[in-house]
């Protein structure tokens, strides 16, 4: 009897322990669920505010980017306008430079032109041909001297020199006795060089060497 009683008490104790464990587990689960619901409630309560803050930040950033974009567009338009104005100014300056490039040359020619005018006035009042001829020759010398000194002009006007196809244009030909090479025998028109470059060859008569 005592053994059976003892065994029944033991079983009863184990059942109570299991029930107690189940109760404890149920309480833990209930508390966990309550905490989860509290957290969800907190998140749901704070979500609209967070969304508002995020929207405000995005709107502020968009406004900032739109302002920067407008400033960049304005700067680009200004730069394009400055570039166009610069090109127009360069074109005008180039046109004026070409237009007035010979100003110095014309100034150098004004003096001899004035001398020619005075020589013509003197010729109308005097019949001294020799004096007029001498005056014109002086003007010519002055003109050539000015062009040579200031502009590098050289005259090609020599004869009895070897024919140079770079400086001479043969307009007439004749055989020349005893010549070892072609020679310029007569000057028909002066030629000119500017700073060493032929700008007009002299027209000449050429004596051809035989054989």
């Amino acid at each position: 009897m005592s053994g059976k009683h003892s065994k029944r008490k033991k079983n009863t104790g184990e059942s109570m322990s299991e029930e107690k464990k189940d109760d404890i587990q149920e309480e833990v689960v209930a508390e966990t669920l309550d905490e989860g619901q509290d957290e969800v409630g907190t998140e749901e309560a704070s979500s609209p505010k967070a969304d508002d803050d995020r929207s405000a930040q995005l709107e502020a950033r968009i406004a900032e980017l739109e302002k920067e974009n407008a400033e960049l567009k304005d700067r680009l338009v200004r730069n394009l306008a400055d570039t166009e104005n610069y090109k127009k100014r360069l074109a005008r300056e180039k046109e004026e430079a070409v237009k007035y490039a010979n100003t110095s040359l014309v100034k150098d020619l004004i003096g001899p032109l004035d001398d020619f005018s005075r020589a013509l006035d003197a010729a109308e009042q005097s019949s001294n041909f020799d004096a007029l001829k001498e005056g014109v020759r002086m003007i010519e010398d002055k003109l050539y001297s000015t062009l040579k000194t200031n502009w590098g002009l050289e005259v090609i006007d020599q004869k009895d020199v070897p024919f140079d196809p770079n400086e001479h244009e043969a307009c007439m030909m004749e055989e020349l006795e005893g010549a070892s090479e072609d020679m310029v025998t007569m000057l028909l028109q002066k030629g000119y060089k500017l700073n060493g470059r032929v700008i007009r060859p002299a027209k000449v008569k050429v004596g051809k060497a035989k054989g």
Side-chain angles (χ1 to χ4, degrees):
M1 290 291 293
S2 61
K4 291 181 179 180
H5 179 72
S6 175
K7 186 175 183 181
R8 188 180 302 115
K9 287 179 65 178
K10 184 178 180 181
N11 291 336
T12 303
E14 290 179 354
S15 298
M16 290 179 63
S17 297
E18 291 178 357
E19 290 177 358
K20 188 174 182 180
K21 287 180 180 180
D22 292 339
D23 292 339
I24 292 171
Q25 289 179 353
E26 289 177 358
E27 289 178 1
V28 171
V29 171
E31 290 178 359
T32 303
L33 289 175
D34 290 340
E35 290 178 357
Q37 289 177 355
D38 292 340
E39 290 178 357
V40 171
T42 304
E43 289 180 357
E44 290 178 352
S46 61
S47 180
K49 182 179 179 181
D51 290 342
D52 291 342
D53 292 342
R54 191 177 299 108
S55 298
Q57 291 176 358
L58 289 174
E59 289 177 359
R61 181 56 178 163
I62 290 172
E64 182 181 355
L65 291 175
E66 288 178 347
K67 181 180 178 181
E68 291 179 0
N69 186 41
E71 290 176 353
L72 289 174
K73 285 183 177 179
D74 182 67
R75 191 181 305 170
L76 177 61
V77 171
R78 290 177 181 273
N79 288 338
L80 290 175
D82 291 341
T83 301
E84 189 65 24
N85 291 334
Y86 178 70
K87 289 181 179 179
K88 290 180 179 179
R89 185 169 67 253
L90 283 181
R92 287 195 303 268
E93 291 176 355
K94 182 179 179 180
E95 182 180 355
E96 290 182 359
V98 172
K99 186 176 181 180
Y100 297 104
N102 296 324
T103 299
S104 298
L105 173 60
V106 173
K107 285 183 178 180
D108 285 341
L109 296 178
I110 289 175
L113 287 174
D114 290 339
D115 293 339
F116 275 121
S117 296
R118 283 191 288 268
L120 290 174
D121 291 339
E124 292 179 356
Q125 300 175 8
S126 174
S127 58
N128 189 340
F129 178 76
D130 290 336
L132 176 61
K133 180 181 178 180
E134 183 62 25
V136 172
R137 188 178 297 280
M138 290 176 62
I139 296 172
E140 182 185 36
D141 291 341
K142 179 180 178 180
L143 177 60
Y144 280 138
S145 176
T146 299
L147 292 175
K148 180 178 180 180
T149 302
N150 295 348
W151 299 94
L153 185 70
E154 299 176 59
V155 181
I156 305 172
D157 60 353
Q158 292 181 326
K159 61 180 182 177
D160 298 327
V161 296
F163 174 78
D164 184 350
N166 296 317
E167 296 186 359
H168 303 123
E169 179 183 346
C171 297
M172 299 175 64
M173 304 286 291
E174 64 178 353
E175 289 188 356
L176 189 62
E177 293 286 344
S180 59
E181 58 181 333
D182 296 344
M183 300 290 292
V184 174
T185 58
M186 182 182 297
L187 178 68
L188 303 176
Q189 185 184 63
K190 293 179 180 179
Y192 296 94
K193 292 191 292 185
L194 185 63
N195 294 318
R197 176 185 294 179
V198 176
I199 59 176
R200 191 181 82 179
K203 293 183 178 181
V204 298
K205 182 179 180 180
V206 179
K208 293 284 293 180
K210 288 185 178 182

